[in-house]
Amino acid sequence: MEALITRLSELLEQKRWGALKQEMNQLEPFYIAELLEKLPASEQVILFRLLSRAQAKLAFEYLSYSDKKQISEQLAENRNELAALLNDLDPDDRTAFFEELPGEVSQRLAQLLTKEEREITTRLLGYPEESIGRLMTPEYVAVRPHFTVQQALGHIRRFGRDSETLNVVYVVDNQWKLVDDLRIRELILAAPEQTISEISDGRFISLNALDDQEAAVKTFKDHDRVALPVTDSDGTLVGIVTIDDVMDVAEEENTEDFHKFGGSEDLDLSYTRTPLLDLVRKRAGWLILLFLGEMLTASAMAYFDGEISKAVVLALFIPLIISSGGNSGSQAASLIIRSLALNELRLGNWFQVMTKELLSGLLLGSALAAIGFVRILIWQKAGLYDYGDYWIPVGLTVSVTLIFVVMWGTLSGSMIPLALKRCGMDPATASAPFVATLVDVTGLVIYFSVAALFLRGTLL
């Protein structure tokens, strides 16, 4: 070993990186780890960077915790310099550099960076912005199938101090592929001489690092876990996700949906910390779009100006008509968006949804129609307002319009979120103001079309 160290030190001094890399990668991982432990920290990190990804991953496994931590800290010793270097590299060189590091090292490196630099590093690692890979931590304890329970508990005592959680211990093979996960109580209750493979059943739940973060929220909810392992596409364990991180994601997703449904972009900061101009900018886009939509309402009223001038009484019920349609649409949109978020509905259920909402709209509209007609009847008979000689056709116009408008509102509110999801968009974009604006415009068309049917030859 001493002769090998001398040989490698000479190559290092001569900066013969090719020969040094060839020498290192010919060694067994165990000897590489033993060699690294005998070298100064400055030489450790240089030699470690020369290892192939497979060799580095296996050698890192044999290192003591102090050496693992030391190498990780050396790799990220100057965080600002490292971030600047990574950003200056060509994308292919940058990717090649990170691919030469084992997943555990790259993840530990990411945890040592500031938030901004961590985002840069994880982006370079190839994890999409909203992926589970952005949530995971490498702070976990893993054991081998051949360990006895006593050895495993000793391993946990030695390396578990900095683990994110000790509720679950993960079982990995020689290639670091996930084999099983064991609750700590299973280890405590098992006989000390039993091996890990004897108490394992090979059944486990894991997340894929490239999956969307919402998948983690659903998996945690379905399986009632406090932590879940994260693997890559090959089944290699690359980290874990804990329930506190998932709860943060769920809160962020719900907040984003609430903002969108209210007709606003989601805020980057809390309401109290958001600057005034940012708050205005987040709300202005949707507000302007909705205003332009409402201008169509004015255009529709202008189109029916002749009818309104002949039967001014019709104008009295315009707010009643359009608000009923908008409210019913907003209700339906709220129900469908929430059901989609909870995975209670799928796109394949669209016909069932359409049928149910049409029937709901018919019943709700009929109830409002009855109330509307009774209201006109009472006001007319009590002398509170004179709707004229044709108050019955006016009442029928309002009542029939309410039925059709509410049916159209419930249909629109239920189908638009499904259509958006089908197009790959967020269903929450079908905000209450958006649905209400759509129903406002079309509600006027329905109203005056029904009025033309009931009042032609009388008021019209």
Side-chain angles (χ1 to χ4, degrees):
M1 180 62 69
E2 294 300 326
L4 180 60
I5 293 176
T6 302
R7 166 68 177 163
L8 294 177
S9 296
E10 291 175 354
L11 294 175
L12 192 60
E13 289 178 6
Q14 297 168 8
K15 298 183 179 180
R16 295 174 58 187
W17 309 120
L20 190 59
K21 183 173 183 177
Q22 185 176 1
E23 289 270 2
M24 290 289 293
N25 282 288
Q26 287 178 349
L27 297 174
E28 290 292 327
F30 174 81
Y31 292 112
I32 294 175
E34 188 177 353
L35 172 64
L36 292 174
E37 289 176 346
K38 295 180 181 297
L39 293 174
S42 58
E43 294 183 2
Q44 273 186 345
V45 69
I46 294 175
L47 294 181
F48 192 80
R49 282 172 169 165
L50 293 175
L51 294 172
S52 67
R53 182 175 181 177
Q55 287 288 79
K57 183 176 182 179
L58 294 174
F60 195 80
E61 174 190 339
Y62 290 102
L63 292 172
S64 66
Y65 173 75
S66 60
D67 284 313
K68 287 180 179 178
K69 184 177 180 182
Q70 186 168 260
I71 288 178
S72 299
E73 289 175 346
Q74 285 290 319
L75 290 172
E77 186 175 47
N78 190 326
R79 293 182 290 191
N80 292 332
E81 182 180 351
L82 179 60
L85 173 64
L86 295 176
N87 281 293
D88 290 337
L89 288 173
D90 291 332
D92 54 343
D93 293 332
R94 185 165 54 216
T95 302
F97 171 69
F98 273 94
E99 285 179 347
E100 289 298 309
L101 297 175
E104 188 172 350
V105 175
S106 59
Q107 290 301 317
R108 190 179 299 277
L109 174 64
Q111 295 301 315
L112 295 174
L113 300 175
T114 63
K115 180 180 179 181
E116 181 180 356
E117 293 163 344
R118 189 183 305 123
E119 289 175 354
I120 295 173
T121 304
T122 52
R123 191 179 307 119
L124 293 175
L125 282 171
Y127 298 122
E129 186 174 351
E130 298 296 329
S131 69
I132 290 172
R134 296 291 185 101
L135 295 178
M136 66 185 183
T137 173
E139 302 295 343
Y140 59 87
V141 177
V143 296
R144 299 294 191 189
H146 63 269
F147 282 12
T148 64
V149 170
Q150 185 173 354
Q151 287 176 323
L153 291 174
H155 184 81
I156 294 169
R157 293 188 188 98
R158 183 180 180 189
F159 299 108
R161 185 177 301 275
D162 296 304
S163 176
E164 183 78 9
T165 176
L166 286 177
N167 290 354
V168 181
V169 176
Y170 302 97
V171 185
V172 295
D173 62 16
N174 292 333
Q175 283 71 46
W176 212 256
K177 293 187 183 298
L178 183 62
V179 176
D180 201 0
D181 58 358
L182 297 174
R183 296 179 186 270
I184 194 68
R185 70 185 301 272
E186 296 179 75
L187 287 174
I188 295 174
L189 296 177
E193 66 275 6
Q194 282 187 287
T195 63
I196 296 299
S197 60
E198 289 176 341
I199 62 174
S200 299
D201 58 13
R203 295 182 297 177
F204 59 88
I205 304 297
S206 64
L207 302 169
N208 189 293
L210 297 179
D211 284 347
D212 190 88
Q213 292 177 359
E214 291 188 14
V217 176
K218 184 178 186 304
T219 304
F220 269 86
K221 178 183 175 183
D222 292 344
H223 298 281
D224 193 24
R225 296 296 185 95
V226 295
L228 281 174
V230 182
T231 62
D232 61 15
S233 55
D234 295 326
T236 303
L237 182 63
V238 292
I240 65 172
V241 172
T242 54
I243 186 64
D244 55 331
D245 295 322
V246 171
M247 290 178 65
D248 290 340
V249 171
E251 183 179 355
E252 290 173 4
E253 292 292 339
N254 289 336
T255 301
E256 181 181 347
D257 287 346
F258 274 121
H259 287 159
K260 287 181 178 179
F261 195 72
S264 172
E265 296 180 38
D266 58 300
L267 303 180
D268 299 322
L269 303 173
S270 66
Y271 178 84
T272 54
R273 295 172 57 197
T274 302
L276 177 61
L277 292 179
D278 284 350
L279 192 63
V280 171
R281 181 175 57 82
K282 294 285 187 180
R283 297 161 69 177
W286 263 109
L287 198 59
I288 292 171
L289 182 62
L290 294 171
F291 178 75
L292 294 174
E294 289 292 355
M295 289 175 65
L296 295 176
T297 304
S299 300
M301 290 186 68
Y303 181 80
F304 293 106
D305 180 62
E307 285 78 359
I308 295 175
S309 64
K310 294 178 184 177
V312 178
V313 68
L314 293 178
L316 299 176
F317 299 99
I318 289 176
L320 176 68
I321 299 297
I322 62 177
S323 64
S324 297
N327 291 338
S328 63
S330 298
Q331 281 185 338
S334 301
L335 293 172
I336 298 304
I337 290 172
R338 188 56 181 165
S339 296
L340 287 171
L342 296 175
N343 289 309
E344 296 172 349
L345 276 182
R346 302 186 182 279
L347 293 177
N349 301 126
W350 69 269
F351 186 77
Q352 178 187 357
V353 172
M354 182 180 69
T355 304
K356 182 177 264 187
E357 287 303 316
L358 281 174
L359 292 175
S360 297
L362 176 61
L363 295 174
L364 292 169
S366 298
L368 296 182
I371 295 172
F373 189 85
V374 170
R375 190 266 191 197
I376 293 174
L377 173 64
I378 294 174
W379 257 245
Q380 181 70 27
K381 294 300 183 181
L384 297 175
Y385 189 87
D386 184 11
Y387 293 104
D389 296 335
Y390 301 102
W391 66 270
I392 293 179
V394 169
L396 290 174
T397 297
V398 172
S399 297
V400 173
T401 299
L402 282 169
I403 294 174
F404 283 110
V405 165
V406 171
M407 288 179 65
W408 171 241
T410 56
L411 181 64
S412 301
S414 60
M415 290 294 104
I416 290 176
L418 293 174
L420 290 173
K421 187 173 180 65
R422 180 66 180 84
C423 295
M425 300 173 63
D426 188 348
T429 308
S431 63
F434 175 77
V435 173
T437 301
L438 173 65
V439 177
D440 284 355
V441 179
T442 52
L444 285 174
V445 176
I446 294 173
Y447 182 31
F448 287 105
S449 298
V450 173
L453 179 65
F454 281 93
L455 301 176
R456 187 172 302 278
T458 54
L459 293 180
L460 298 181

